[in-house]
Amino acid sequence: QVQLVESGGGLVQPGGSLRLSCAASLSIFGFNSMGWYRQAPGKQRELVASITSVGLTIYADSAKGRFTISRDNAKNTVYLQMNSLKPEDTAVYYCRAARQFDYWGQGTQVTVSS
């Protein structure tokens, strides 16, 4: 069974940075894509960024220029570097891995507040 473990969330002031990590129990080469989603209270879950097995990336408009998704194949880990954080970035961030099925992590809380 595929397991995804997110880490790196926390409380940060506006304008600050966080780096989220998603460690997979399988080689990330085995997935068509991996991505980060977020869900704020009362909101639908939305895609933040994704990366394919060949390195192609896509970002939500809200993330462009501030967030960067990357991977370390040797560590079976995908990262989300978040800079210039805003209060509206506050949400639970989930890692998703896609192959034949979709796999989700349990989420990590990101809170941006003064």
PDB file of all heavy atoms in Angstrom, residues 16-35:
ATOM      1  N   GLY A  16       6.496  35.367   5.266  1.00  0.00           N
ATOM      2  CA  GLY A  16       7.446  34.330   5.607  1.00  0.00           C
ATOM      3  C   GLY A  16       7.434  33.177   4.629  1.00  0.00           C
ATOM      4  O   GLY A  16       6.725  33.194   3.620  1.00  0.00           O
ATOM      5  N   SER A  17       8.212  32.156   4.954  1.00  0.00           N
ATOM      6  CA  SER A  17       8.367  31.005   4.071  1.00  0.00           C
ATOM      7  C   SER A  17       8.240  29.701   4.840  1.00  0.00           C
ATOM      8  O   SER A  17       8.546  29.633   6.034  1.00  0.00           O
ATOM      9  CB  SER A  17       9.736  31.036   3.378  1.00  0.00           C
ATOM     10  OG  SER A  17       9.889  32.180   2.565  1.00  0.00           O
ATOM     11  N   LEU A  18       7.793  28.690   4.148  1.00  0.00           N
ATOM     12  CA  LEU A  18       7.754  27.329   4.655  1.00  0.00           C
ATOM     13  C   LEU A  18       8.108  26.382   3.525  1.00  0.00           C
ATOM     14  O   LEU A  18       7.869  26.685   2.354  1.00  0.00           O
ATOM     15  CB  LEU A  18       6.374  26.957   5.201  1.00  0.00           C
ATOM     16  CG  LEU A  18       5.945  27.526   6.545  1.00  0.00           C
ATOM     17  CD1 LEU A  18       4.490  27.153   6.810  1.00  0.00           C
ATOM     18  CD2 LEU A  18       6.832  27.011   7.666  1.00  0.00           C
ATOM     19  N   ARG A  19       8.652  25.247   3.888  1.00  0.00           N
ATOM     20  CA  ARG A  19       8.944  24.205   2.918  1.00  0.00           C
ATOM     21  C   ARG A  19       8.258  22.924   3.358  1.00  0.00           C
ATOM     22  O   ARG A  19       8.602  22.353   4.391  1.00  0.00           O
ATOM     23  CB  ARG A  19      10.444  23.967   2.785  1.00  0.00           C
ATOM     24  CG  ARG A  19      10.824  23.068   1.605  1.00  0.00           C
ATOM     25  CD  ARG A  19      12.287  22.695   1.642  1.00  0.00           C
ATOM     26  NE  ARG A  19      12.765  22.165   0.375  1.00  0.00           N
ATOM     27  CZ  ARG A  19      13.927  21.561   0.201  1.00  0.00           C
ATOM     28  NH1 ARG A  19      14.761  21.417   1.225  1.00  0.00           N
ATOM     29  NH2 ARG A  19      14.281  21.116  -0.998  1.00  0.00           N
ATOM     30  N   LEU A  20       7.291  22.487   2.573  1.00  0.00           N
ATOM     31  CA  LEU A  20       6.575  21.265   2.854  1.00  0.00           C
ATOM     32  C   LEU A  20       7.258  20.089   2.170  1.00  0.00           C
ATOM     33  O   LEU A  20       7.793  20.225   1.074  1.00  0.00           O
ATOM     34  CB  LEU A  20       5.127  21.354   2.369  1.00  0.00           C
ATOM     35  CG  LEU A  20       4.297  22.537   2.872  1.00  0.00           C
ATOM     36  CD1 LEU A  20       2.871  22.425   2.350  1.00  0.00           C
ATOM     37  CD2 LEU A  20       4.319  22.617   4.388  1.00  0.00           C
ATOM     38  N   SER A  21       7.214  18.945   2.827  1.00  0.00           N
ATOM     39  CA  SER A  21       7.784  17.732   2.280  1.00  0.00           C
ATOM     40  C   SER A  21       6.733  16.643   2.223  1.00  0.00           C
ATOM     41  O   SER A  21       5.879  16.550   3.098  1.00  0.00           O
ATOM     42  CB  SER A  21       8.964  17.240   3.135  1.00  0.00           C
ATOM     43  OG  SER A  21      10.009  18.189   3.171  1.00  0.00           O
ATOM     44  N   CYS A  22       6.807  15.831   1.201  1.00  0.00           N
ATOM     45  CA  CYS A  22       5.936  14.672   1.053  1.00  0.00           C
ATOM     46  C   CYS A  22       6.813  13.473   0.745  1.00  0.00           C
ATOM     47  O   CYS A  22       7.375  13.385  -0.351  1.00  0.00           O
ATOM     48  CB  CYS A  22       4.910  14.896  -0.057  1.00  0.00           C
ATOM     49  SG  CYS A  22       3.899  13.447  -0.433  1.00  0.00           S
ATOM     50  N   ALA A  23       6.925  12.582   1.700  1.00  0.00           N
ATOM     51  CA  ALA A  23       7.739  11.381   1.540  1.00  0.00           C
ATOM     52  C   ALA A  23       6.849  10.210   1.140  1.00  0.00           C
ATOM     53  O   ALA A  23       5.872   9.912   1.825  1.00  0.00           O
ATOM     54  CB  ALA A  23       8.487  11.072   2.829  1.00  0.00           C
ATOM     55  N   ALA A  24       7.204   9.553   0.061  1.00  0.00           N
ATOM     56  CA  ALA A  24       6.432   8.432  -0.460  1.00  0.00           C
ATOM     57  C   ALA A  24       7.103   7.115  -0.115  1.00  0.00           C
ATOM     58  O   ALA A  24       8.332   7.022  -0.048  1.00  0.00           O
ATOM     59  CB  ALA A  24       6.261   8.551  -1.966  1.00  0.00           C
ATOM     60  N   SER A  25       6.281   6.099   0.082  1.00  0.00           N
ATOM     61  CA  SER A  25       6.802   4.778   0.415  1.00  0.00           C
ATOM     62  C   SER A  25       7.305   4.025  -0.805  1.00  0.00           C
ATOM     63  O   SER A  25       7.925   2.970  -0.664  1.00  0.00           O
ATOM     64  CB  SER A  25       5.736   3.950   1.133  1.00  0.00           C
ATOM     65  OG  SER A  25       4.593   3.775   0.317  1.00  0.00           O
ATOM     66  N   LEU A  26       7.033   4.538  -1.991  1.00  0.00           N
ATOM     67  CA  LEU A  26       7.509   3.970  -3.238  1.00  0.00           C
ATOM     68  C   LEU A  26       8.294   5.012  -4.003  1.00  0.00           C
ATOM     69  O   LEU A  26       8.160   6.212  -3.746  1.00  0.00           O
ATOM     70  CB  LEU A  26       6.354   3.466  -4.100  1.00  0.00           C
ATOM     71  CG  LEU A  26       5.508   2.307  -3.587  1.00  0.00           C
ATOM     72  CD1 LEU A  26       4.358   2.050  -4.548  1.00  0.00           C
ATOM     73  CD2 LEU A  26       6.345   1.060  -3.402  1.00  0.00           C
ATOM     74  N   SER A  27       9.090   4.545  -4.954  1.00  0.00           N
ATOM     75  CA  SER A  27       9.806   5.466  -5.821  1.00  0.00           C
ATOM     76  C   SER A  27       8.818   6.384  -6.527  1.00  0.00           C
ATOM     77  O   SER A  27       7.816   5.930  -7.071  1.00  0.00           O
ATOM     78  CB  SER A  27      10.631   4.703  -6.850  1.00  0.00           C
ATOM     79  OG  SER A  27      11.161   5.575  -7.823  1.00  0.00           O
ATOM     80  N   ILE A  28       9.117   7.666  -6.518  1.00  0.00           N
ATOM     81  CA  ILE A  28       8.209   8.601  -7.162  1.00  0.00           C
ATOM     82  C   ILE A  28       8.233   8.465  -8.680  1.00  0.00           C
ATOM     83  O   ILE A  28       7.374   9.016  -9.361  1.00  0.00           O
ATOM     84  CB  ILE A  28       8.497  10.056  -6.747  1.00  0.00           C
ATOM     85  CG1 ILE A  28       9.930  10.456  -7.104  1.00  0.00           C
ATOM     86  CG2 ILE A  28       8.236  10.239  -5.266  1.00  0.00           C
ATOM     87  CD1 ILE A  28      10.245  11.903  -6.783  1.00  0.00           C
ATOM     88  N   PHE A  29       9.205   7.720  -9.204  1.00  0.00           N
ATOM     89  CA  PHE A  29       9.191   7.400 -10.626  1.00  0.00           C
ATOM     90  C   PHE A  29       7.992   6.531 -10.987  1.00  0.00           C
ATOM     91  O   PHE A  29       7.595   6.467 -12.145  1.00  0.00           O
ATOM     92  CB  PHE A  29      10.481   6.692 -11.037  1.00  0.00           C
ATOM     93  CG  PHE A  29      11.613   7.603 -11.364  1.00  0.00           C
ATOM     94  CD1 PHE A  29      12.854   7.436 -10.771  1.00  0.00           C
ATOM     95  CD2 PHE A  29      11.454   8.634 -12.270  1.00  0.00           C
ATOM     96  CE1 PHE A  29      13.909   8.278 -11.072  1.00  0.00           C
ATOM     97  CE2 PHE A  29      12.508   9.480 -12.581  1.00  0.00           C
ATOM     98  CZ  PHE A  29      13.739   9.297 -11.978  1.00  0.00           C
ATOM     99  N   GLY A  30       7.434   5.851 -10.003  1.00  0.00           N
ATOM    100  CA  GLY A  30       6.296   4.983 -10.239  1.00  0.00           C
ATOM    101  C   GLY A  30       4.974   5.705 -10.383  1.00  0.00           C
ATOM    102  O   GLY A  30       3.958   5.061 -10.669  1.00  0.00           O
ATOM    103  N   PHE A  31       4.961   7.006 -10.190  1.00  0.00           N
ATOM    104  CA  PHE A  31       3.738   7.793 -10.276  1.00  0.00           C
ATOM    105  C   PHE A  31       3.743   8.649 -11.525  1.00  0.00           C
ATOM    106  O   PHE A  31       4.776   9.164 -11.953  1.00  0.00           O
ATOM    107  CB  PHE A  31       3.575   8.680  -9.043  1.00  0.00           C
ATOM    108  CG  PHE A  31       3.477   7.911  -7.762  1.00  0.00           C
ATOM    109  CD1 PHE A  31       4.566   7.824  -6.909  1.00  0.00           C
ATOM    110  CD2 PHE A  31       2.306   7.275  -7.420  1.00  0.00           C
ATOM    111  CE1 PHE A  31       4.482   7.116  -5.731  1.00  0.00           C
ATOM    112  CE2 PHE A  31       2.206   6.554  -6.240  1.00  0.00           C
ATOM    113  CZ  PHE A  31       3.299   6.476  -5.400  1.00  0.00           C
ATOM    114  N   ASN A  32       2.574   8.811 -12.111  1.00  0.00           N
ATOM    115  CA  ASN A  32       2.440   9.693 -13.264  1.00  0.00           C
ATOM    116  C   ASN A  32       2.664  11.149 -12.865  1.00  0.00           C
ATOM    117  O   ASN A  32       3.258  11.921 -13.609  1.00  0.00           O
ATOM    118  CB  ASN A  32       1.063   9.541 -13.908  1.00  0.00           C
ATOM    119  CG  ASN A  32       0.809   8.156 -14.435  1.00  0.00           C
ATOM    120  OD1 ASN A  32      -0.157   7.503 -14.045  1.00  0.00           O
ATOM    121  ND2 ASN A  32       1.671   7.698 -15.330  1.00  0.00           N
ATOM    122  N   SER A  33       2.161  11.492 -11.688  1.00  0.00           N
ATOM    123  CA  SER A  33       2.337  12.845 -11.196  1.00  0.00           C
ATOM    124  C   SER A  33       2.184  12.862  -9.692  1.00  0.00           C
ATOM    125  O   SER A  33       1.583  11.973  -9.091  1.00  0.00           O
ATOM    126  CB  SER A  33       1.331  13.806 -11.839  1.00  0.00           C
ATOM    127  OG  SER A  33       0.012  13.494 -11.437  1.00  0.00           O
ATOM    128  N   MET A  34       2.727  13.891  -9.093  1.00  0.00           N
ATOM    129  CA  MET A  34       2.532  14.150  -7.686  1.00  0.00           C
ATOM    130  C   MET A  34       2.207  15.625  -7.540  1.00  0.00           C
ATOM    131  O   MET A  34       2.675  16.452  -8.323  1.00  0.00           O
ATOM    132  CB  MET A  34       3.767  13.790  -6.867  1.00  0.00           C
ATOM    133  CG  MET A  34       4.124  12.314  -6.938  1.00  0.00           C
ATOM    134  SD  MET A  34       5.446  11.839  -5.796  1.00  0.00           S
ATOM    135  CE  MET A  34       4.591  12.009  -4.219  1.00  0.00           C
ATOM    136  N   GLY A  35       1.407  15.926  -6.547  1.00  0.00           N
ATOM    137  CA  GLY A  35       1.006  17.308  -6.404  1.00  0.00           C
ATOM    138  C   GLY A  35       0.638  17.678  -4.992  1.00  0.00           C
ATOM    139  O   GLY A  35       0.528  16.826  -4.107  1.00  0.00           O
TER     140      GLY A  35
END
